Every structure is written in structure tokens, then in C-alpha cells.
């Protein structure tokens, strides 16, 4: 059967870095609290005038460049922070990448968005509807966070990562395995920006000033994240025909180092099999998995032939996982 095979990879981070000490200078927090509770040391944030499409275009261009091509016949953008509520941001990204005319759409699944986008790309490649798909995760998440919200300000950052996928064979290195996805809308209040949608516009409930900003019930999210990321990873690994112990690199959504450790422990994997990128960039939501892959690839943490499992949990609630064998450098 036709599979989606990784052909290119790219990332991009806005240059402005906010350290824990810089946060502690204006909020009631400390480098020690943030490092101990999350593992995060710094995050990148957009400057005034920089939008999600700006991040997505740069990461997408880097992924195309790494594959030595300037063509793709579909663009899928996973984001929680579109440039505008309407229209989708992907057509603008395609246009700026010189891919105008190709189908382009957004996927909204918060921190699981990149896995949902991979599933869509994989399915469309599998049916022959597309031969080469640029899948981007891009977030200007800091724009959703209230400047006084120390909990979220400590965690979230901005950035973009992308994979270029092409049609290939399921036995090839770089071929995506089955993508496992799930959701539970009963948990929609755990991670939310309440205002700005039809609930506000049609008066479902009165909105207050704070409803314009991101809110997260962190402790509850933590527990669901460990459970769902573990279950999804186990299911994806099983569907790939692997045993959990055969996973060389576990690339989990970079929300919290304690979550990554807990998931590794549930899978009976040593911590050194984890790809950790959150120390430098925080939680970049839908950009987190492709950025972690790009970082691991660039620094040699991912080697050709490595068996890689990806797993994520996010707002919705949503979760997902998949697998691939890392291709040779020439292929990405
Ligand atoms: O991306 C989608 C998935 N997201 C996640 O998976 C996030 C999962 N949740 C988490 O990572 C953690 O819940 C957080 C990092 C968000 C919060 O850490 P926590 O250990 O769960 O803290 P908490 O929210 O239970 O708060 C414990 C205490 C509170 O103080 P009191 O009420 O005990 O006095 C908070 O006010 O820590 C306080 N606190 C802080 N203190 C210093 C919360 N944020 C901070 C902070 N600095 N930045």
C-alpha cells in the first residue's frame, strides 16, 4: 500500500528568547520553580508584527529546502493561533511559499494538531489524492497567554516545524506507520480560550475579560496527558508490529519533562530514549513534535534506522501517536 514517507524536515524559532529569569523579573515565579516543575529553561516568542504564517512559511521553506525541492501539491497547517478566525492560514502560507493553487487547509487539535495533520496527509497520500504534502505545525501561542498568568507564561512558547511527506512504500525508512487518534469533548474546558467563537457571538454565556485569554487546569491535564500519551503510543507501536522495548527514540509532545518521564516509565523505556527539546523552547503546542524532530535530527539524537514513536495530548481533549523508522540523512 502507498505510504507517506518523510522527505524533508525544517524548523524555525522566532529570535526573541525569554529566559526563566526574565519571567521571574516581572512575575511571582523563579527559575528553580519552572525548571523543577516543568524542565523548561527558556522559550522563544514572536515580536510585534510577527504572525503564525510568518513562522509557518519559514519552517515550510526549510523543509522544502532540506528535500531539495520547491514543490508540494498540498499544504496542511496545524495551529491553535491562526492569523485570523477566518479564513484558514494555510492558503496564505502556500501562497507565500510559491505553492499557490494547491489545496491548503488548517487543522485545529491544539497540542495534538501535528499528529492529526500527519493522519490527514497520510490518508490523502494513501488514496492518491496527493503525491507530496507539506505538513506544518506553527504557533504564536504566547499571544494567547495573559501577561500576568505565571503558570501559562512559564510553559508556552512560539515556533514552527514541518515535515515534507511524499508517496512511497510502507517498507521504506521514513514511512509513517498507522496514526492512532482520539478525542474526548467532555474535557473541552480543561484547555480553552473561551471567547472569540460562536459561544460569545450568539450569547451562549456572558463572557468576561479573562475569557479572551488561554486557561488550563494544569494538574488535571497532566494526568490525562500521561494516560492518553501512553495508551496512544502503545497502540501505535503495536500496530507497527514493534514491541515497546524496540522504540529507540520516543518523541512526546513537549509539555512538561515530568510528563515525558512518566510516559517513558509506563512504556518501560529508559529516560535516555526520550527526545527532550522543551528545555530550550517550552511547550510550542502543534509545533512541538516537528520542532523536537528537527532539533534531534540536527543534533544527531536521531540516527538513520532509529525506531521512532511520536505521541501527543492536547486541548479538546485530543490525543494521537504514530511511528516511523528514521530515514538516512540524504533522504531528509
Ligand atoms: O500542552 C497541552 C498539554 N499540557 C500539559 O500537558 C500541561 C500539563 N500540566 C503541567 O505541566 C503542570 O500542571 C503545570 C506546569 C502547568 C503546573 O504545574 P503544577 O505542578 O501542576 O502546579 P499547579 O498548577 O498545581 O500549582 C501548584 C502551585 C500553586 O500554588 P498554591 O496554590 O499551591 O499556593 C500555583 O499557584 O504552584 C503555583 N504556580 C507557580 N509558582 C511559581 C503555578 N505556576 C507557577 C509559577 N511559578 N510559574
Amino acid at each position: 500500500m502507498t505510504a507517506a514517507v518523510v522527505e524533508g524536515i525544517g524548523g524555525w524559532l522566532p529570535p526573541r528568547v525569554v529566559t526563566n529569569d526574565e519571567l521571574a523579573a516581572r512575575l511571582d515565579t523563579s527559575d528553580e520553580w519552572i525548571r523543577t516543575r516543568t524542565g523548561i529553561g527558556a522559550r522563544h516568542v514572536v515580536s510585534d508584527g510577527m504572525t503564525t504564517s510568518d513562522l509557518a512559511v519559514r519552517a515550510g521553506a526549510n523543509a522544502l529546502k532540506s528535500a531539495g525541492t520547491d514543490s508540494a501539491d498540498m499544504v496542511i497547517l496545524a495551529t491553535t493561533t491562526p492569523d485570523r478566525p477566518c479564513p484558514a492560514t494555510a492558503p496564505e502560507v502556500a501562497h507565500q511559499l510559491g505553492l499557490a493553487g494547491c489545496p491548503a487547509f488548517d487543522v485545529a487539535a491544539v497540542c495534538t494538531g501535528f499528529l492529526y495533520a500527519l493522519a490527514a496527509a497520510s490518508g490523502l497520500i494513501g488514496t492518491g489524492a496527493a503525491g507530496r504534502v507539506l505538513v506544518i505545525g506553527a504557533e504564536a501561542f504566547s499571544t494567547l497567554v495573559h501577561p500576568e498568568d505565571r503558570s501559562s507564561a512559564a510553559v508556552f512558547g512560539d515556533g514552527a516545524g514541518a515535515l515534507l511527506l511524499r508517496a512511497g512504500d510502507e517498507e521504506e525508512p521514513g514511512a509513517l506507520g498507522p496514526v492512532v487518534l482520539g478525542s474526548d469533548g467532555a474535557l473541552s474546558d480543561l484547555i480553552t480560550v473561551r471567547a472569540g467563537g460562536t459561544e460569545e457571538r450568539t450569547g451562549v454565556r456572558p463572557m468576561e475579560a479573562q475569557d479572551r485569554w488561554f486557561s488550563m487546569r494544569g494538574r488535571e491535564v497532566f494526568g490525562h496527558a500521561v494516560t492518553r500519551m501512553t495508551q496512544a503510543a502503545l497502540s501505535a507501536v503495536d500496530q507497527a508490529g514493534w514491541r515497546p522495548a524496540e522504540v529507540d527514540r520516543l518523541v512526546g509532545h513537549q509539555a512538561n519533562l515530568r510528563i515525558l518521564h512518566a510516559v517513558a516509565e509506563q512504556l518501560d523505556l529508559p529516560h535516555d530514549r526520550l527526545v527532550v527539546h522543551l528545555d530550550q523552547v517550552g511547550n510550542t503546542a502543534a509545533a512541538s513534535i516537528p520542532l523536537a524532530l528537527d532539533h534531534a535530527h540536527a543534533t544527531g539524537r536521531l540516527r538513520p534506522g532509529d525506531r521512532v514513536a511520536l505521541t501527543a495530548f492536547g486541548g479538546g481533549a485530543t490525543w494521537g501517536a504514530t511511528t516511523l523508522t528514521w530515514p538516512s540523512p540524504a533522504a531528509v
Side-chain angles (χ1 to χ4, degrees):
M1 168 166 166
T2 305
V5 178
V6 172
E7 187 185 18
I9 186 165
W12 198 78
L13 292 163
R16 166 129 171 71
V17 176
V18 177
T19 62
N20 292 345
D21 285 335
E22 185 177 339
L23 280 183
R26 65 175 180 84
L27 295 171
D28 182 15
T29 188
S30 65
D31 178 57
E32 204 262 330
W33 191 95
I34 299 171
R35 280 186 197 276
T36 313
R37 303 306 296 165
T38 71
I40 295 167
R43 69 288 297 142
H44 291 244
V45 299
V46 291
S47 308
D48 287 348
M50 190 180 283
T51 61
T52 293
S53 60
D54 294 330
L55 307 176
V57 167
R58 287 170 167 101
N62 286 339
L64 289 167
K65 192 173 160 201
S66 84
T69 182
D70 54 10
S71 78
D73 43 36
M74 187 176 289
V75 174
I76 307 178
L77 173 66
T79 188
T80 320
T81 56
D83 287 2
R84 312 175 197 172
C86 170
T89 305
E92 171 66 25
V93 172
H95 166 71
Q96 288 193 38
L97 286 169
L99 303 171
C102 79
F105 60 96
D106 289 3
V107 167
V110 198
C111 300
T112 319
F114 196 76
L115 282 159
Y116 270 72
L118 286 182
S122 191
L124 289 160
I125 286 173
T127 63
R132 182 183 267 162
V133 182
L134 182 59
V135 184
I136 308 173
E139 301 279 16
F141 216 93
S142 65
T143 62
L144 299 180
V145 174
H146 190 285
E148 303 296 318
D149 176 358
R150 65 177 177 172
S151 181
S152 297
V155 170
F156 289 97
D158 304 334
L163 289 179
L164 187 65
L165 302 176
R166 64 164 171 81
D169 187 88
E170 62 186 347
E171 299 300 328
E172 279 185 72
L176 291 185
V179 187
V180 173
L181 299 174
S183 78
D184 182 357
L187 302 177
S188 61
D189 283 344
L190 290 189
I191 295 174
T192 189
V193 179
R194 209 170 261 289
T198 54
E199 285 190 10
E200 179 181 32
R201 287 171 188 270
T202 65
V204 167
R205 60 164 72 84
M207 296 288 168
E208 296 168 20
Q210 75 250 26
D211 293 327
R212 298 220 153 267
W213 301 99
F214 177 81
S215 82
M216 177 167 72
R217 299 196 334 234
R219 277 227 176 141
E220 286 168 76
V221 172
F222 192 109
H224 289 294
V226 173
T227 304
R228 293 302 189 179
M229 285 169 67
T230 302
Q231 287 172 349
L234 282 171
S235 175
V237 164
D238 183 58
Q239 288 186 40
W242 304 349
R243 286 178 294 107
E246 292 175 324
V247 172
D248 298 304
R249 291 287 176 260
L250 182 63
V251 184
H253 167 51
Q254 305 281 306
N256 187 315
L257 188 60
R258 292 185 294 131
I259 293 176
L260 295 179
H261 283 171
V263 173
E265 283 154 24
Q266 300 272 320
L267 295 173
D268 221 4
L269 290 174
H271 290 176
D272 65 9
R273 303 261 183 106
L274 288 166
V275 164
V276 177
H277 189 217
L278 51 71
D279 52 329
Q280 298 167 44
V281 299
N283 178 348
T284 57
S288 124
I289 283 188
L291 272 173
L293 287 172
D294 185 51
H295 176 72
H297 176 62
T299 57
R301 281 284 288 155
L302 278 174
R303 294 155 308 190
D306 276 350
R307 289 180 168 198
V308 183
L310 315 178
T311 186
F313 178 85
T318 54
W319 54 88
T322 193
T323 53
L324 75 160
T325 301
W326 198 248
S328 69
V332 283

